Coordinates of all heavy atoms in Angstrom, one line a residue:
M1 N 14.2 -2.0 14.8 CA 14.1 -3.3 14.1 C 12.6 -3.6 13.7 O 11.7 -3.3 14.5 CB 14.6 -4.4 15.1 CG 14.6 -5.8 14.5 SD 15.2 -7.0 15.7 CE 13.9 -8.1 15.8
A2 N 12.4 -4.1 12.5 CA 11.1 -4.4 12.1 C 10.4 -5.5 12.9 O 11.1 -6.4 13.3 CB 11.1 -4.7 10.6
D3 N 9.1 -5.4 13.1 CA 8.4 -6.4 13.8 C 7.0 -6.5 13.2 O 6.6 -5.6 12.5 CB 8.3 -6.0 15.3 CG 8.1 -7.2 16.2 OD1 7.9 -8.4 15.6 OD2 8.2 -7.1 17.4
W4 N 6.3 -7.6 13.4 CA 5.0 -7.8 12.9 C 3.9 -7.0 13.7 O 4.0 -7.0 14.9 CB 4.6 -9.3 12.9 CG 5.3 -10.1 11.9 CD1 6.4 -10.9 12.2 CD2 5.1 -10.1 10.5 NE1 6.9 -11.4 11.0 CE2 6.1 -11.0 9.9 CE3 4.2 -9.6 9.6 CZ2 6.2 -11.3 8.6 CZ3 4.2 -9.8 8.3 CH2 5.2 -10.7 7.8
H5 N 3.1 -6.3 13.0 CA 2.1 -5.5 13.7 C 0.7 -5.8 13.2 O 0.4 -5.9 12.0 CB 2.3 -4.0 13.4 CG 3.6 -3.5 13.9 ND1 3.8 -3.1 15.2 CD2 4.8 -3.4 13.3 CE1 5.1 -2.7 15.4 NE2 5.7 -2.9 14.2
D6 N -0.2 -6.1 14.1 CA -1.6 -6.4 13.8 C -2.3 -5.1 13.4 O -2.3 -4.1 14.1 CB -2.3 -7.0 15.0 CG -3.7 -7.4 14.8 OD1 -4.5 -6.7 14.0 OD2 -4.1 -8.4 15.4
V7 N -2.9 -5.0 12.2 CA -3.6 -3.8 11.7 C -5.1 -4.0 11.6 O -5.8 -3.0 11.3 CB -3.0 -3.3 10.4 CG1 -1.5 -2.8 10.6 CG2 -3.1 -4.3 9.3
G8 N -5.6 -5.2 11.8 CA -7.0 -5.4 11.7 C -7.4 -6.7 11.2 O -6.6 -7.6 10.9
A9 N -8.7 -7.0 11.2 CA -9.2 -8.3 10.8 C -9.2 -8.4 9.3 O -9.3 -7.5 8.5 CB -10.7 -8.4 11.3
E10 N -9.0 -9.7 8.9 CA -9.1 -10.0 7.4 C -10.4 -9.4 6.9 O -11.4 -9.6 7.5 CB -9.0 -11.5 7.3 CG -8.5 -11.9 6.0 CD -8.3 -13.5 5.9 OE1 -8.6 -14.1 6.9 OE2 -8.0 -13.9 4.8
G11 N -10.4 -8.8 5.7 CA -11.6 -8.2 5.2 C -11.6 -6.7 5.4 O -12.5 -6.0 5.0
L12 N -10.6 -6.2 6.2 CA -10.5 -4.8 6.5 C -10.4 -4.0 5.2 O -11.0 -2.9 5.1 CB -9.2 -4.5 7.2 CG -8.7 -3.1 7.5 CD1 -9.7 -2.4 8.5 CD2 -7.3 -3.0 8.0
V13 N -9.7 -4.5 4.2 CA -9.7 -3.8 2.9 C -10.3 -4.7 1.8 O -9.8 -5.9 1.6 CB -8.2 -3.4 2.5 CG1 -7.3 -4.5 2.6 CG2 -8.2 -2.7 1.1
P14 N -11.3 -4.3 1.1 CA -12.0 -5.1 0.1 C -11.0 -5.2 -1.1 O -10.2 -4.4 -1.4 CB -13.2 -4.3 -0.3 CG -13.5 -3.4 0.9 CD -12.1 -3.1 1.4
E15 N -11.2 -6.3 -1.9 CA -10.5 -6.5 -3.1 C -10.6 -5.3 -4.0 O -11.6 -4.7 -4.2 CB -11.2 -7.7 -3.8 CG -10.6 -8.0 -5.2 CD -9.3 -8.9 -5.1 OE1 -9.2 -9.7 -4.2 OE2 -8.5 -8.8 -6.0
G16 N -9.4 -4.8 -4.5 CA -9.4 -3.7 -5.4 C -9.5 -2.3 -4.8 O -9.7 -1.4 -5.5
E17 N -9.4 -2.3 -3.4 CA -9.5 -1.0 -2.8 C -8.2 -0.8 -1.9 O -7.3 -1.6 -1.9 CB -10.8 -0.9 -1.9 CG -12.0 -1.0 -2.8 CD -13.3 -0.7 -2.0 OE1 -13.2 -0.1 -0.9 OE2 -14.3 -1.1 -2.4
V18 N -8.2 0.4 -1.3 CA -7.0 0.8 -0.5 C -7.5 1.3 0.9 O -8.5 2.0 0.9 CB -6.1 1.8 -1.2 CG1 -6.8 3.0 -1.6 CG2 -4.9 2.1 -0.3
V19 N -6.8 1.0 1.9 CA -7.1 1.5 3.3 C -5.8 2.0 3.9 O -4.8 1.3 3.8 CB -7.8 0.4 4.1 CG1 -7.8 0.8 5.6 CG2 -9.1 0.0 3.6
A20 N -5.9 3.1 4.6 CA -4.7 3.7 5.3 C -4.6 3.0 6.7 O -5.6 2.9 7.4 CB -4.9 5.2 5.4
V21 N -3.4 2.5 7.0 CA -3.2 1.9 8.3 C -1.9 2.5 8.9 O -1.1 3.1 8.1 CB -3.2 0.4 8.3 CG1 -4.5 -0.2 7.8 CG2 -2.0 -0.1 7.4
I22 N -1.7 2.3 10.2 CA -0.4 2.6 10.8 C 0.2 1.3 11.3 O -0.5 0.5 12.0 CB -0.6 3.6 12.0 CG1 -1.3 4.9 11.6 CG2 0.7 3.8 12.7 CD1 -0.4 5.9 10.9
A23 N 1.5 1.1 11.0 CA 2.1 -0.1 11.5 C 3.6 0.3 11.9 O 4.3 0.8 11.1 CB 2.1 -1.3 10.5
G24 N 3.9 0.0 13.2 CA 5.3 0.4 13.6 C 5.5 1.9 13.5 O 6.6 2.3 13.3
G25 N 4.5 2.6 13.7 CA 4.6 4.1 13.6 C 4.6 4.6 12.2 O 4.7 5.9 12.0
K26 N 4.6 3.8 11.2 CA 4.7 4.2 9.8 C 3.3 4.3 9.1 O 2.5 3.3 9.3 CB 5.5 3.3 9.0 CG 7.0 3.1 9.5 CD 7.7 2.1 8.6 CE 9.1 1.9 9.1 NZ 9.2 1.0 10.3
P27 N 3.0 5.3 8.4 CA 1.8 5.3 7.6 C 1.9 4.4 6.4 O 2.8 4.6 5.6 CB 1.6 6.8 7.2 CG 3.0 7.3 7.1 CD 3.8 6.5 8.1
L28 N 1.0 3.5 6.3 CA 1.0 2.5 5.2 C -0.3 2.5 4.4 O -1.4 2.8 5.0 CB 1.3 1.1 5.7 CG 2.6 1.0 6.5 CD1 2.8 -0.4 7.0 CD2 3.8 1.4 5.7
A29 N -0.2 2.1 3.2 CA -1.4 1.9 2.3 C -1.6 0.4 2.1 O -0.6 -0.2 1.6 CB -1.3 2.6 1.0
L30 N -2.7 -0.1 2.6 CA -2.9 -1.6 2.5 C -3.9 -1.9 1.4 O -4.9 -1.2 1.2 CB -3.5 -2.0 3.9 CG -3.8 -3.5 4.0 CD1 -2.6 -4.4 3.9 CD2 -4.6 -3.8 5.3
F31 N -3.6 -2.9 0.6 CA -4.4 -3.3 -0.6 C -4.7 -4.8 -0.5 O -3.9 -5.6 0.1 CB -3.5 -3.1 -1.9 CG -3.0 -1.7 -2.0 CD1 -1.8 -1.4 -1.5 CD2 -3.7 -0.7 -2.7 CE1 -1.3 -0.1 -1.7 CE2 -3.2 0.5 -2.9 CZ -2.0 0.9 -2.3
Q32 N -5.8 -5.1 -1.2 CA -6.0 -6.6 -1.5 C -6.2 -6.7 -3.0 O -7.0 -6.0 -3.6 CB -7.3 -7.1 -0.8 CG -7.5 -8.5 -1.0 CD -8.8 -9.1 -0.5 OE1 -9.2 -10.2 -0.8 NE2 -9.4 -8.4 0.4
E33 N -5.3 -7.5 -3.6 CA -5.3 -7.8 -5.0 C -5.3 -9.3 -5.2 O -4.4 -10.0 -4.8 CB -4.1 -7.1 -5.7 CG -4.2 -5.7 -5.9 CD -5.1 -5.3 -7.0 OE1 -5.0 -5.8 -8.1 OE2 -6.1 -4.5 -6.8
E34 N -6.3 -9.8 -6.0 CA -6.3 -11.2 -6.4 C -6.2 -12.1 -5.1 O -5.5 -13.1 -5.1 CB -5.2 -11.5 -7.4 CG -5.4 -10.7 -8.7 CD -4.2 -10.8 -9.6 OE1 -3.1 -11.2 -9.2 OE2 -4.3 -10.3 -10.7
G35 N -6.8 -11.7 -4.0 CA -6.9 -12.5 -2.8 C -5.7 -12.4 -1.9 O -5.7 -13.0 -0.9
S36 N -4.7 -11.6 -2.3 CA -3.6 -11.4 -1.4 C -3.5 -9.9 -0.9 O -4.0 -9.1 -1.6 CB -2.3 -11.8 -2.1 OG -2.2 -13.1 -2.4
Y37 N -2.8 -9.7 0.2 CA -2.7 -8.4 0.7 C -1.3 -7.8 0.4 O -0.3 -8.6 0.4 CB -2.9 -8.4 2.3 CG -4.3 -8.7 2.7 CD1 -4.7 -10.0 3.0 CD2 -5.3 -7.7 2.6 CE1 -6.0 -10.3 3.4 CE2 -6.6 -8.0 3.0 CZ -6.9 -9.3 3.4 OH -8.2 -9.6 3.7
Y38 N -1.2 -6.5 0.2 CA 0.1 -5.8 -0.1 C 0.0 -4.5 0.7 O -1.0 -3.9 0.9 CB 0.2 -5.6 -1.6 CG 0.2 -6.8 -2.4 CD1 -1.0 -7.3 -2.9 CD2 1.4 -7.6 -2.6 CE1 -1.0 -8.5 -3.6 CE2 1.4 -8.7 -3.3 CZ 0.2 -9.2 -3.8 OH 0.1 -10.4 -4.5
A39 N 1.2 -4.1 1.1 CA 1.3 -2.8 1.8 C 2.5 -2.0 1.2 O 3.6 -2.5 0.9 CB 1.6 -3.0 3.3
L40 N 2.2 -0.7 1.0 CA 3.2 0.3 0.5 C 3.3 1.4 1.5 O 2.3 1.7 2.2 CB 2.7 0.9 -0.8 CG 2.5 -0.1 -2.0 CD1 2.0 0.7 -3.2 CD2 3.8 -0.8 -2.4
H41 N 4.5 2.1 1.6 CA 4.6 3.3 2.3 C 3.5 4.3 1.8 O 3.4 4.5 0.6 CB 6.0 3.9 2.2 CG 6.2 5.0 3.1 ND1 7.0 6.1 2.8 CD2 5.8 5.3 4.4 CE1 7.1 6.9 3.8 NE2 6.4 6.4 4.8
D42 N 2.8 4.9 2.7 CA 1.6 5.7 2.3 C 2.0 7.2 2.0 O 1.5 8.1 2.5 CB 0.5 5.7 3.3 CG -0.8 6.2 2.7 OD1 -0.9 6.4 1.5 OD2 -1.7 6.4 3.6
L43 N 3.0 7.3 1.1 CA 3.5 8.6 0.8 C 4.1 8.6 -0.6 O 5.0 7.8 -0.9 CB 4.6 9.1 1.8 CG 4.9 10.6 1.7 CD1 3.7 11.4 2.1 CD2 6.1 10.9 2.7
C44 N 3.5 9.4 -1.5 CA 4.1 9.4 -2.9 C 5.5 9.8 -2.9 O 5.9 10.7 -2.1 CB 3.2 10.3 -3.7 SG 3.7 10.4 -5.5
T45 N 6.3 9.2 -3.8 CA 7.8 9.6 -3.8 C 7.9 10.9 -4.6 O 9.1 11.4 -4.7 CB 8.6 8.5 -4.4 OG1 8.1 8.2 -5.7 CG2 8.6 7.3 -3.5
H46 N 6.9 11.4 -5.2 CA 7.0 12.7 -6.0 C 6.6 13.9 -5.1 O 7.0 15.0 -5.4 CB 6.0 12.6 -7.2 CG 6.1 13.8 -8.1 ND1 5.0 14.6 -8.2 CD2 7.0 14.2 -8.9 CE1 5.3 15.6 -9.1 NE2 6.5 15.4 -9.5
G47 N 5.8 13.7 -4.1 CA 5.4 14.8 -3.2 C 4.8 14.3 -1.9 O 4.7 13.1 -1.7
D48 N 4.4 15.2 -1.1 CA 3.8 14.8 0.2 C 2.4 14.5 0.1 O 1.5 15.2 0.7 CB 4.1 15.9 1.3 CG 5.5 15.9 1.7 OD1 6.2 14.9 1.5 OD2 6.0 17.0 2.1
T49 N 2.0 13.4 -0.6 CA 0.6 13.1 -0.8 C 0.4 11.6 -0.4 O 1.1 10.7 -0.8 CB 0.2 13.3 -2.2 OG1 0.5 14.6 -2.6 CG2 -1.2 13.0 -2.5
P50 N -0.6 11.3 0.5 CA -0.9 9.9 0.8 C -1.5 9.2 -0.4 O -2.4 9.6 -1.0 CB -2.0 10.1 1.9 CG -2.0 11.5 2.3 CD -1.5 12.3 1.2
L51 N -0.8 8.1 -0.7 CA -1.3 7.2 -1.8 C -2.7 6.7 -1.5 O -3.5 6.4 -2.4 CB -0.3 6.1 -2.1 CG 1.0 6.6 -2.7 CD1 2.0 5.5 -2.8 CD2 0.8 7.4 -4.0
S52 N -3.0 6.5 -0.2 CA -4.3 5.9 0.2 C -5.5 6.8 -0.2 O -6.6 6.4 -0.1 CB -4.3 5.6 1.7 OG -4.1 6.8 2.4
D53 N -5.2 8.1 -0.6 CA -6.3 9.0 -1.1 C -6.5 8.8 -2.6 O -7.3 9.5 -3.2 CB -5.9 10.5 -0.8 CG -6.1 10.8 0.7 OD1 -6.7 10.1 1.4 OD2 -5.5 11.9 1.1
G54 N -5.7 7.9 -3.2 CA -5.7 7.7 -4.6 C -6.7 6.6 -5.1 O -7.5 6.2 -4.3
W55 N -6.5 6.2 -6.3 CA -7.4 5.2 -6.9 C -6.7 3.9 -7.3 O -5.5 4.0 -7.8 CB -8.1 5.8 -8.1 CG -8.9 7.0 -7.8 CD1 -10.2 7.0 -7.4 CD2 -8.4 8.4 -7.8 NE1 -10.6 8.3 -7.1 CE2 -9.5 9.2 -7.4 CE3 -7.2 9.0 -8.1 CZ2 -9.4 10.5 -7.3 CZ3 -7.1 10.4 -8.0 CH2 -8.2 11.1 -7.6
V56 N -7.3 2.8 -7.1 CA -6.7 1.5 -7.5 C -7.2 1.2 -8.9 O -8.5 1.2 -9.1 CB -7.1 0.4 -6.5 CG1 -6.6 -0.9 -6.9 CG2 -6.5 0.7 -5.1
E57 N -6.3 0.8 -9.8 CA -6.8 0.4 -11.1 C -5.7 -0.4 -11.7 O -4.5 -0.1 -11.7 CB -7.0 1.7 -12.0 CG -7.8 1.4 -13.2 CD -8.1 2.6 -14.0 OE1 -9.2 3.2 -13.7 OE2 -7.4 3.1 -14.9
D58 N -6.1 -1.6 -12.3 CA -5.1 -2.4 -13.0 C -3.9 -2.8 -12.2 O -2.8 -2.8 -12.8 CB -4.7 -1.8 -14.4 CG -5.9 -1.6 -15.3 OD1 -6.9 -2.4 -15.2 OD2 -5.9 -0.6 -16.1
G59 N -4.1 -3.1 -10.9 CA -2.9 -3.5 -10.1 C -2.0 -2.4 -9.7 O -0.9 -2.6 -9.2
C60 N -2.5 -1.1 -9.9 CA -1.7 0.1 -9.6 C -2.5 1.0 -8.7 O -3.7 1.0 -8.7 CB -1.2 0.9 -10.8 SG -0.1 0.0 -11.9
I61 N -1.7 1.8 -7.9 CA -2.4 2.9 -7.1 C -2.0 4.2 -7.8 O -0.8 4.4 -8.1 CB -1.9 2.9 -5.6 CG1 -2.6 4.1 -4.9 CG2 -0.4 2.9 -5.5 CD1 -4.0 4.0 -4.7
E62 N -3.0 5.0 -8.1 CA -2.7 6.3 -8.8 C -2.7 7.4 -7.8 O -3.7 7.6 -7.0 CB -3.8 6.5 -9.9 CG -3.6 7.8 -10.7 CD -4.6 8.0 -11.7 OE1 -4.6 7.2 -12.7 OE2 -5.5 8.9 -11.6
C63 N -1.7 8.2 -7.7 CA -1.6 9.3 -6.8 C -2.6 10.3 -7.1 O -2.8 10.7 -8.3 CB -0.2 9.9 -6.9 SG 0.0 11.3 -5.8
P64 N -3.3 10.9 -6.1 CA -4.4 11.8 -6.4 C -3.9 13.2 -6.8 O -4.7 13.9 -7.4 CB -5.1 11.9 -5.0 CG -4.1 11.5 -4.0 CD -3.2 10.5 -4.7
L65 N -2.6 13.5 -6.6 CA -2.2 14.8 -6.9 C -1.8 15.1 -8.4 O -2.3 16.0 -9.0 CB -1.0 15.2 -6.0 CG -0.7 16.7 -5.9 CD1 -1.9 17.5 -5.6 CD2 0.4 17.0 -4.9
H66 N -0.9 14.2 -8.9 CA -0.4 14.4 -10.3 C -0.6 13.1 -11.1 O 0.0 12.9 -12.2 CB 1.0 14.8 -10.3 CG 1.4 16.0 -9.5 ND1 2.2 15.9 -8.5 CD2 0.9 17.3 -9.6 CE1 2.3 17.1 -7.9 NE2 1.5 18.0 -8.6
Q67 N -1.3 12.1 -10.5 CA -1.7 10.9 -11.2 C -0.5 10.0 -11.6 O -0.6 9.2 -12.5 CB -2.5 11.2 -12.5 CG -3.9 11.7 -12.2 CD -4.0 13.2 -11.7 OE1 -3.4 14.0 -12.3 NE2 -4.6 13.4 -10.5
G68 N 0.6 10.1 -10.9 CA 1.7 9.1 -11.0 C 1.1 7.8 -10.5 O 0.3 7.7 -9.6
R69 N 1.6 6.7 -11.1 CA 1.1 5.3 -10.7 C 2.3 4.4 -10.2 O 3.4 4.5 -10.7 CB 0.4 4.7 -11.9 CG -0.8 5.5 -12.4 CD -1.2 5.1 -13.8 NE -2.0 3.8 -13.7 CZ -1.6 2.7 -14.4 NH1 -0.6 2.7 -15.2 NH2 -2.4 1.7 -14.3
F70 N 1.9 3.6 -9.1 CA 2.9 2.7 -8.6 C 2.2 1.3 -8.6 O 1.0 1.1 -8.4 CB 3.1 3.0 -7.1 CG 3.8 4.3 -6.9 CD1 3.0 5.5 -6.6 CD2 5.2 4.4 -6.9 CE1 3.7 6.7 -6.4 CE2 5.8 5.6 -6.7 CZ 5.0 6.8 -6.4
C71 N 3.0 0.3 -8.9 CA 2.6 -1.1 -8.8 C 2.3 -1.5 -7.4 O 3.2 -1.3 -6.5 CB 3.7 -2.0 -9.4 SG 3.2 -3.8 -9.3
I72 N 1.1 -2.0 -7.1 CA 0.7 -2.4 -5.7 C 1.6 -3.5 -5.2 O 2.0 -3.5 -4.0 CB -0.8 -2.8 -5.7 CG1 -1.6 -1.5 -5.9 CG2 -1.1 -3.5 -4.4 CD1 -3.1 -1.8 -6.1
K73 N 2.0 -4.4 -6.1 CA 2.8 -5.6 -5.6 C 4.2 -5.3 -5.4 O 4.9 -5.9 -4.5 CB 2.6 -6.7 -6.6 CG 1.1 -7.2 -6.7 CD 1.0 -8.4 -7.6 CE -0.4 -8.9 -7.7 NZ -0.6 -10.0 -8.6
T74 N 4.8 -4.4 -6.2 CA 6.3 -4.2 -6.2 C 6.7 -2.8 -5.7 O 7.9 -2.6 -5.4 CB 6.9 -4.5 -7.5 OG1 6.5 -3.5 -8.4 CG2 6.5 -5.9 -8.1
G75 N 5.8 -1.9 -5.7 CA 6.1 -0.5 -5.4 C 6.8 0.2 -6.5 O 7.1 1.4 -6.4
A76 N 7.0 -0.4 -7.7 CA 7.7 0.2 -8.8 C 6.9 1.4 -9.4 O 5.6 1.4 -9.4 CB 7.8 -0.8 -9.9
A77 N 7.6 2.4 -9.8 CA 7.0 3.6 -10.4 C 6.6 3.2 -11.8 O 7.5 2.7 -12.6 CB 8.0 4.7 -10.4
M78 N 5.4 3.4 -12.2 CA 4.9 2.9 -13.5 C 4.6 4.0 -14.5 O 4.5 3.7 -15.7 CB 3.6 2.1 -13.2 CG 3.7 1.0 -12.2 SD 4.8 -0.3 -12.8 CE 3.9 -1.1 -14.1
S79 N 4.4 5.2 -14.0 CA 4.2 6.3 -15.0 C 4.5 7.6 -14.5 O 4.4 7.9 -13.3 CB 2.7 6.3 -15.5 OG 1.8 6.6 -14.5
A80 N 5.0 8.5 -15.3 CA 5.4 9.9 -14.9 C 4.2 10.6 -14.3 O 3.0 10.3 -14.6 CB 5.8 10.7 -16.2
P81 N 4.5 11.5 -13.3 CA 5.8 12.0 -13.0 C 6.5 11.3 -11.8 O 7.4 11.9 -11.2 CB 5.4 13.5 -12.5 CG 4.1 13.3 -11.8 CD 3.4 12.2 -12.6
V82 N 6.1 10.1 -11.5 CA 6.9 9.4 -10.5 C 8.0 8.5 -11.1 O 7.7 7.8 -12.1 CB 6.0 8.5 -9.6 CG1 5.0 9.4 -8.8 CG2 5.2 7.5 -10.3
Y83 N 9.2 8.5 -10.6 CA 10.3 7.7 -11.1 C 10.9 6.9 -10.0 O 11.5 5.9 -10.3 CB 11.4 8.7 -11.7 CG 10.8 9.4 -12.9 CD1 10.4 10.8 -12.7 CD2 10.6 8.8 -14.1 CE1 9.9 11.5 -13.8 CE2 10.1 9.5 -15.2 CZ 9.7 10.8 -15.0 OH 9.2 11.5 -16.1
E84 N 10.8 7.3 -8.7 CA 11.3 6.6 -7.6 C 10.3 5.6 -7.1 O 9.1 6.0 -6.9 CB 11.6 7.6 -6.4 CG 12.7 8.5 -6.7 CD 14.1 7.8 -6.7 OE1 14.3 7.0 -5.8 OE2 14.9 8.2 -7.5
P85 N 10.7 4.3 -6.9 CA 9.7 3.4 -6.3 C 9.3 3.7 -4.9 O 10.0 4.5 -4.2 CB 10.5 2.0 -6.4 CG 11.9 2.4 -6.3 CD 12.0 3.8 -7.1
V86 N 8.2 3.2 -4.5 CA 7.8 3.4 -3.1 C 8.0 2.1 -2.3 O 8.0 1.0 -2.9 CB 6.3 3.9 -3.0 CG1 5.4 2.7 -3.5 CG2 5.9 4.3 -1.7
A87 N 8.4 2.3 -1.0 CA 8.8 1.1 -0.2 C 7.6 0.1 0.0 O 6.4 0.6 0.1 CB 9.3 1.6 1.2
T88 N 7.9 -1.2 -0.1 CA 6.9 -2.2 0.2 C 7.1 -2.8 1.5 O 8.2 -2.8 2.1 CB 7.0 -3.3 -0.9 OG1 8.3 -3.9 -0.8 CG2 6.8 -2.8 -2.3
F89 N 6.1 -3.4 2.1 CA 6.1 -4.0 3.4 C 5.4 -5.4 3.3 O 4.4 -5.5 2.7 CB 5.4 -3.1 4.5 CG 6.2 -1.8 4.7 CD1 6.0 -0.8 3.9 CD2 7.0 -1.7 5.8 CE1 6.7 0.4 4.1 CE2 7.7 -0.5 6.0 CZ 7.5 0.5 5.1
E90 N 6.0 -6.3 4.0 CA 5.5 -7.7 3.9 C 4.2 -7.8 4.7 O 4.1 -7.2 5.8 CB 6.6 -8.7 4.5 CG 6.4 -10.1 4.1 CD 7.6 -11.0 4.5 OE1 8.7 -10.4 4.8 OE2 7.3 -12.2 4.7
V91 N 3.3 -8.5 4.2 CA 2.0 -8.7 4.9 C 1.7 -10.2 5.0 O 1.9 -11.0 4.1 CB 0.8 -8.0 4.0 CG1 -0.5 -8.1 4.8 CG2 1.1 -6.6 3.7
R92 N 1.1 -10.6 6.1 CA 0.7 -12.0 6.3 C -0.7 -11.9 7.1 O -1.1 -10.9 7.7 CB 1.7 -12.8 7.1 CG 1.8 -12.4 8.6 CD 2.9 -13.2 9.3 NE 2.9 -12.8 10.7 CZ 3.8 -13.2 11.6 NH1 4.8 -14.0 11.2 NH2 3.8 -12.9 12.9
V93 N -1.4 -13.1 7.0 CA -2.6 -13.2 7.7 C -2.4 -14.4 8.7 O -2.0 -15.5 8.4 CB -3.8 -13.5 6.8 CG1 -5.1 -13.8 7.6 CG2 -4.0 -12.4 5.8
T94 N -2.7 -14.1 10.0 CA -2.5 -15.0 11.1 C -3.8 -15.1 11.8 O -4.3 -14.1 12.4 CB -1.4 -14.6 12.0 OG1 -0.2 -14.5 11.3 CG2 -1.2 -15.7 13.1
E95 N -4.5 -16.3 11.8 CA -5.7 -16.5 12.5 C -6.7 -15.4 12.2 O -7.3 -14.9 13.2 CB -5.5 -16.7 14.0 CG -4.6 -18.0 14.2 CD -4.3 -18.2 15.7 OE1 -4.7 -17.3 16.5 OE2 -3.7 -19.2 16.1
G96 N -6.9 -15.0 11.0 CA -7.9 -14.0 10.6 C -7.5 -12.6 10.8 O -8.3 -11.7 10.6
R97 N -6.2 -12.4 11.3 CA -5.8 -11.0 11.5 C -4.7 -10.6 10.5 O -3.8 -11.5 10.2 CB -5.2 -10.9 12.9 CG -6.1 -11.3 14.0 CD -7.3 -10.4 14.2 NE -6.9 -9.0 14.5 CZ -7.7 -8.0 14.7 NH1 -9.0 -8.2 14.6 NH2 -7.3 -6.8 15.0
I98 N -4.8 -9.4 10.0 CA -3.7 -8.9 9.0 C -2.6 -8.4 9.8 O -2.8 -7.5 10.7 CB -4.3 -7.8 8.1 CG1 -5.5 -8.4 7.3 CG2 -3.3 -7.3 7.1 CD1 -6.3 -7.3 6.6
E99 N -1.4 -8.8 9.5 CA -0.2 -8.4 10.2 C 0.8 -7.8 9.1 O 1.0 -8.4 8.0 CB 0.5 -9.5 11.0 CG -0.4 -10.0 12.1 CD 0.2 -11.1 12.9 OE1 1.0 -11.9 12.3 OE2 -0.1 -11.3 14.0
I100 N 1.5 -6.7 9.5 CA 2.5 -6.1 8.5 C 3.8 -6.0 9.2 O 3.9 -5.7 10.4 CB 2.0 -4.7 8.1 CG1 0.7 -4.8 7.4 CG2 3.0 -4.1 7.2 CD1 0.1 -3.5 7.0
L101 N 4.9 -6.4 8.5 CA 6.2 -6.3 9.0 C 6.7 -4.9 8.8 O 7.0 -4.5 7.6 CB 7.1 -7.3 8.3 CG 8.5 -7.5 8.9 CD1 8.5 -8.0 10.3 CD2 9.3 -8.5 8.0
A102 N 6.8 -4.1 9.9 CA 7.2 -2.7 9.7 C 8.1 -2.3 10.9 O 8.1 -2.9 11.9 CB 6.0 -1.8 9.6
Ligands
FES201 FE1 2.2 12.0 -6.4 FE2 3.0 14.1 -7.7 S1 2.7 13.9 -5.6 S2 2.5 12.2 -8.5

């Protein structure tokens, strides 16, 4: 069953960047976009590559291996060669701590 997991203090991930975290035993990529936090499963759906090794641009994370792109907010596949969306995880901030439901 999913539960909330504390992954660090607010400010852990700067705006427009990505940080790898573990929550509930799952590898996740944590983002901050426009003042809100978002989390995606940290594994490209095209291959075994951590998305947190990629680049954030225009609200998307670009996979470092074949440059497929996913929407940070929805996990949607945005450009070839990725077609499968990546799982999203709910994020909240409680008393200055970032928590992820995983
Ligand atoms: Fe990510 Fe191929 S492994 S685009």
